[in-house]
Amino acid sequence: MEVILADCVHHSLRQFMYRNAIFMCERLCSEFPSETNMQLLAGCFLHNNQAYAAYHILKGTQMAQSRYLFAISCFQMDLLHEAEAALCPPNEPGAEIPNGAAGHYLLGLIYRYTDRRRSAIQHFQQALSIDPLMWCAYEELCILGAAEDASSVFGEAAVLSIQKQYLHHRSENLQTLNDDLNSASARNNNSDDVRTRQLKHTQSNNLRDIPTNYQGTFNLGGAASQIVNGGSNISFYNTPSPVAAQLSAIAPPPLCRNTQQNGSSINSLGADSCSRSTVNSIIQAPRRKFVDEGKLRKISGRLFSDSGPRRSSRLAGEAVANTNVNAANNGTTNSTKYLGGSKLNSITLRSMAVRKGQSFANENIDEGIQNEAFDDSCSNASLSVSSSSSSSGNRILEQGATKSVGGSLTNDAKIINGASEILGLLRILGEGYRLSCLFRCQDALDVYLKLPYKHYSTGWVLSQVGKVYFELVDYLEADRAFSLARHASPHNLEGMDVYSTVLYHLKEDMKLSYLAQELISTDRLAPQSWCAMGNCYSLQKDHETALKNFQRAVQLNPRFAYAHTLCGHEYVALEDFENGIQSYQSALRVDSRHYNSWYGLGMIYLRQEKLEFSEHHFRMAFQINPRSSVVMSYLGTSLHALKRSEDAMMMMEKAILADKKNPLPMYQKANILISLERFDEALQVLEELKEYAPRESSVYALMGKIYKRRYMHEKAMLNFGLALDLKPSAADVATIKAAIEKLHVPDDIEDNL
């Protein structure tokens, strides 16, 4: 009964029938209460987006896997201190982190969101050292600005680590296979009657004992059932990412997968269990349980709007595949692509079949799916368990073992070559992502161009390229890259929040409205969708409605830093500075390197004339992104307001060199020169500026002010008139008209008035 119920639960999970899985698993736990079965029930609830149920089920449990699942439940419920205590029990300071690399990764996220950056970096690095294919850990290091060069992280040491773990895993299973052969040989020495009784006894024991040895291994983003014999529990790459965020479609395939002997019997039940239980039960994690990590995060900005820069705080995606089980005679499984990279949950087996002759070079890396051919494991398993009385049974087993061992040399070469190819791809992707997180945008573009076309043309890479162009303030190229990303992966919302800001700056109201409607219809529970809708209303100057949309994005994912920043922009547009400060600070609590929020705080304090605070926050933004021309411009402005004109002039020169097409630093430089009474130099700068911004009314108004101070009234009137013809804002119109009225009033008298 226990076998049937457990098998039904796993079958329901594979078919994404979570309610049925929960119901049947409750029957299983009622009839056979054990912590292992409770783990299975908790995993069912996690996949049904019911973390609170898993929390109460696992509270107080002691097994390592139970503590890991409990920590995931706490993390989803934002109970970070309880999650930390589950992974690192206070009364056991030297206890091992459960689930290896996945446990270290989850603990790194906990430390990151509790503002312990150094500890977070250590655990992300530890996760990478255990599993070099854990891309999500490297991504987090890039976000924290602490990632090492990708060539060192995904280098030869990583290849050797993969090979070592694979060989260790294979040797363990070959030893188990030898034990089975010896057991079968001993049984054949007995009489026919004894063999018959042993066959019946073995069949009965297998059906009864398998659930006792069963341990359900669940990870956020995927789950694998492990059937453990002899109390051993060996995991090979059991580290899918606990981040259900939308991620790359370029995750490499797993290295190997084992089959499993599951107590085959001579009746139909045994045959069915052989075909269905020889593969891991893969459970898909519910969407957006960690929509913030991810994340989260990262590179975008609205630097030329009236409300400040907008920056995406989230690069992550969701790529979860299901494991399909083929016919029993085929014995072929499909590898599963997990969040944060391709991870493999292995099982400890009583027999093993080494996969045959398929080269990694010929596998479909783009989709992260790899069909692996195995020997006839179900047939061999049935022969081993039933202990066939004929000597041919032993010969078949021995032939299977010989075939497995004989193919090991070929598999060693394939593993090394496959790992090298995968890590070579990750080196390019990792280095490009690291450089983009450091805002070395042109270098990042050069690295991405080294990718093969089939990888460059994927949605994730094109979205990253779009974000890089956005940081370079090249909105037309960013629009083109994001459009290609939408065409390549219309279902993927990665980077669409930044794309909506690109269209905001281009004032493409029709395209922005269409994009927002498409995203809402695709996934109305994604924060990116509501960010796009908010940008659409913000472009129409409906700031109150825009704010409501951005608040909806925050509600859906409180760890989505960009949504907090956009709320801050709208509060500033509504001149609600107090709430604006709170929104920017909330974004920084999620991502301390979210430079746009530092910039937003600097703008608020500049408008409030809190000049020291303003200079501090602009400088923080500058330290994070030292290549932003706009950040440098406003930092120079705050320095000038603090009467540090020389420092301000040097910063403006840097800003002009960073982006000669940006009119802001040249305009501010002219203002500084006017304050220093260097009028000729100021006029020269403004004349040059007219070439870049010929329809900017403020340029002509400033030139009119200079000519007025030099008593060149005709030229002053001409420039004031040109400024009015360019239809400036109402406030600027009033200022220009006031200057015209006082055109013949000397400056010293005007100041007294």
Side-chain angles (χ1 to χ4, degrees), residues 166 253-257 326 330-335 354-365 368-375 407-419 421-422:
Y166 171 77
L255 297 177
C256 68
R257 184 179 297 277
N326 294 337
N330 189 358
T332 304
T333 60
N334 285 330
S335 302
V354 180
R355 80 171 194 176
K356 300 187 278 190
Q358 187 175 4
S359 171
F360 279 112
N362 296 326
E363 290 165 356
N364 187 351
I365 298 179
I369 296 176
Q370 159 192 352
N371 293 325
E372 302 179 80
F374 289 82
D375 295 331
S408 63
L409 295 178
T410 304
N411 278 348
D412 288 349
K414 290 181 179 179
I415 287 299
I416 295 174
N417 292 336
E421 291 175 8
I422 293 170

Side-chain angles (χ1 to χ4, degrees), residues 138-201:
Y138 187 76
E139 187 180 42
E140 291 294 333
L141 289 171
C142 291
I143 294 167
L144 292 171
E148 299 178 9
D149 190 283
S151 60
S152 61
V153 176
F154 303 109
E156 293 300 323
V159 175
L160 295 176
S161 175
I162 294 173
Q163 181 190 14
K164 180 179 178 181
Q165 294 186 49
Y166 171 77
L167 293 176
H168 173 75
H169 174 68
R170 190 181 62 189
S171 64
E172 291 285 345
N173 286 279
L174 285 177
Q175 180 62 42
T176 305
L177 176 61
N178 291 333
D179 293 342
D180 286 340
L181 289 174
N182 294 334
S183 176
S185 177
R187 282 194 295 269
N188 279 333
N189 293 329
N190 296 328
S191 64
D192 292 343
D193 292 341
V194 174
R195 287 197 299 268
T196 303
R197 287 196 300 272
Q198 287 177 339
L199 173 61
K200 294 179 180 179
H201 181 68

Side-chain angles (χ1 to χ4, degrees), residues 28 114 174 195 214 224 251 323 338 387 395 400 416 419 434 442 449 531 538 563 587 669 745 753:
L28 174 66
T114 52
L174 285 177
R195 287 197 299 268
Y214 174 84
T323 294
Y338 290 87
S387 302
R395 287 196 297 271
I416 295 174
R434 184 182 74 88
Q442 191 57 53
L449 287 174
C531 287
S538 183
K669 179 182 177 181
V745 178
L753 293 176

Side-chain angles (χ1 to χ4, degrees), residues 256-480:
C256 68
R257 184 179 297 277
N258 293 324
T259 57
Q260 164 191 334
Q261 174 180 320
N262 190 28
S264 304
S265 67
I266 57 176
N267 57 22
S268 60
L269 175 61
D272 186 63
S273 65
C274 179
S275 64
R276 287 185 294 181
S277 302
T278 54
V279 294
N280 294 337
S281 300
I282 302 303
I283 306 174
Q284 180 185 10
R287 291 179 300 108
R288 288 173 307 284
K289 288 184 178 178
F290 293 105
V291 183
D292 91 12
E293 295 72 37
K295 87 266 237 60
L296 309 264
R297 335 237 169 198
K298 301 164 188 159
I299 311 165
S300 86
R302 183 164 84 185
L303 294 177
F304 292 93
S305 67
D306 55 349
S307 56
R310 301 192 175 192
R311 174 174 184 263
S312 170
S313 65
R314 175 153 179 29
L315 303 177
E318 179 176 5
V320 182
N322 188 28
T323 294
N324 299 320
V325 183
N326 294 337
N329 292 334
N330 189 358
T332 304
T333 60
N334 285 330
S335 302
T336 303
K337 180 174 64 181
Y338 290 87
L339 297 175
S342 178
K343 304 295 178 286
L344 180 59
N345 287 294
S346 65
I347 25 184
T348 304
L349 311 168
R350 296 190 60 190
S351 65
M352 170 188 175
V354 180
R355 80 171 194 176
K356 300 187 278 190
Q358 187 175 4
S359 171
F360 279 112
N362 296 326
E363 290 165 356
N364 187 351
I365 298 179
D366 284 348
E367 296 298 329
I369 296 176
Q370 159 192 352
N371 293 325
E372 302 179 80
F374 289 82
D375 295 331
D376 296 332
S377 56
C378 286
S379 300
N380 290 345
S382 300
L383 288 167
S384 176
V385 173
S386 61
S387 302
S388 172
S389 59
S390 65
S391 60
S392 62
N394 274 347
R395 287 196 297 271
I396 294 175
L397 282 173
E398 292 168 359
Q399 290 171 2
T402 302
K403 186 186 299 183
S404 297
V405 175
S408 63
L409 295 178
T410 304
N411 278 348
D412 288 349
K414 290 181 179 179
I415 287 299
I416 295 174
N417 292 336
S420 298
E421 291 175 8
I422 293 170
L423 293 172
L425 178 63
L426 291 181
R427 278 194 291 272
I428 300 175
L429 292 170
E431 188 63 13
Y433 189 72
R434 184 182 74 88
L435 292 172
S436 65
C437 288
L438 294 176
F439 303 101
R440 294 169 55 182
C441 298
Q442 191 57 53
D443 293 338
L445 285 176
D446 295 339
V447 172
Y448 283 132
L449 287 174
K450 297 178 182 178
L451 286 168
Y453 175 76
K454 60 184 178 181
H455 290 292
Y456 185 87
S457 60
T458 56
W460 188 87
V461 174
L462 289 170
S463 293
Q464 300 305 315
V465 171
K467 292 176 183 179
V468 171
Y469 277 120
F470 181 72
E471 287 295 337
L472 290 171
V473 201
D474 192 343
Y475 297 132
L476 292 177
E477 283 298 321
D479 182 12
R480 178 175 174 272

Side-chain angles (χ1 to χ4, degrees), residues 35-296:
E35 187 169 330
T36 299
N37 288 338
M38 299 303 286
Q39 290 176 11
L40 180 59
L41 179 59
C44 294
F45 278 116
L46 283 173
H47 286 285
N48 202 41
N49 203 19
Q50 293 177 266
Y52 53 88
Y55 172 87
H56 290 290
I57 290 171
L58 296 173
K59 191 174 181 64
T61 53
Q62 298 300 322
M63 292 176 62
Q65 187 60 29
S66 299
R67 291 190 289 115
Y68 177 74
L69 290 175
F70 181 72
I72 288 178
S73 304
C74 294
F75 188 88
Q76 294 185 23
M77 298 170 66
D78 206 27
L79 303 173
L80 300 184
H81 292 294
E82 284 193 61
E84 180 183 354
L87 295 173
C88 302
N91 56 348
E92 300 179 27
E96 184 178 355
I97 306 299
N99 258 26
H104 283 284
Y105 173 76
L106 180 57
L107 192 57
L109 290 177
I110 293 170
Y111 284 137
R112 178 191 167 191
Y113 293 125
T114 52
D115 201 21
R116 288 175 283 179
R117 182 176 182 272
R118 182 176 299 178
S119 297
I121 291 171
Q122 290 176 354
H123 283 281
F124 290 138
Q125 290 174 339
Q126 183 68 17
L128 265 178
S129 66
I130 297 173
D131 182 0
L133 299 182
M134 181 164 277
W135 166 262
C136 56
Y138 187 76
E139 187 180 42
E140 291 294 333
L141 289 171
C142 291
I143 294 167
L144 292 171
E148 299 178 9
D149 190 283
S151 60
S152 61
V153 176
F154 303 109
E156 293 300 323
V159 175
L160 295 176
S161 175
I162 294 173
Q163 181 190 14
K164 180 179 178 181
Q165 294 186 49
Y166 171 77
L167 293 176
H168 173 75
H169 174 68
R170 190 181 62 189
S171 64
E172 291 285 345
N173 286 279
L174 285 177
Q175 180 62 42
T176 305
L177 176 61
N178 291 333
D179 293 342
D180 286 340
L181 289 174
N182 294 334
S183 176
S185 177
R187 282 194 295 269
N188 279 333
N189 293 329
N190 296 328
S191 64
D192 292 343
D193 292 341
V194 174
R195 287 197 299 268
T196 303
R197 287 196 300 272
Q198 287 177 339
L199 173 61
K200 294 179 180 179
H201 181 68
T202 302
Q203 174 186 344
S204 175
N205 284 344
N206 281 334
L207 292 177
R208 183 177 63 254
D209 295 340
I210 284 176
T212 305
N213 294 328
Y214 174 84
Q215 288 191 0
T217 300
F218 296 92
N219 295 287
L220 193 64
S225 61
Q226 296 183 344
I227 295 186
V228 183
N229 295 296
S232 63
N233 184 6
I234 300 171
S235 177
F236 180 57
Y237 287 150
N238 188 6
T239 54
S241 161
V243 176
Q246 294 165 346
L247 201 66
S248 170
I250 314 177
L255 297 177
C256 68
R257 184 179 297 277
N258 293 324
T259 57
Q260 164 191 334
Q261 174 180 320
N262 190 28
S264 304
S265 67
I266 57 176
N267 57 22
S268 60
L269 175 61
D272 186 63
S273 65
C274 179
S275 64
R276 287 185 294 181
S277 302
T278 54
V279 294
N280 294 337
S281 300
I282 302 303
I283 306 174
Q284 180 185 10
R287 291 179 300 108
R288 288 173 307 284
K289 288 184 178 178
F290 293 105
V291 183
D292 91 12
E293 295 72 37
K295 87 266 237 60
L296 309 264

Side-chain angles (χ1 to χ4, degrees), residues 303-304 473 599 627-637 640 648-673 681-682 685-686 688-689 692-693 698-699 702:
L303 294 177
F304 292 93
V473 201
Y599 171 94
R627 294 170 177 80
S628 172
S629 176
V630 175
V631 170
M632 286 187 277
S633 298
Y634 280 103
L635 176 57
T637 301
H640 176 56
M649 185 66 70
M650 292 177 59
M651 190 59 63
M652 291 303 175
E653 293 290 349
K654 290 183 179 179
I656 293 171
L657 291 176
D659 184 5
K660 293 185 178 180
K661 295 181 181 179
N662 181 13
L664 181 60
M666 298 182 70
Y667 180 81
Q668 295 293 358
K669 179 182 177 181
N671 268 318
I672 296 173
L673 290 171
E681 294 180 50
V685 171
L686 291 173
E688 184 180 355
L689 179 57
Y692 296 104
S698 58
V699 175
L702 189 58

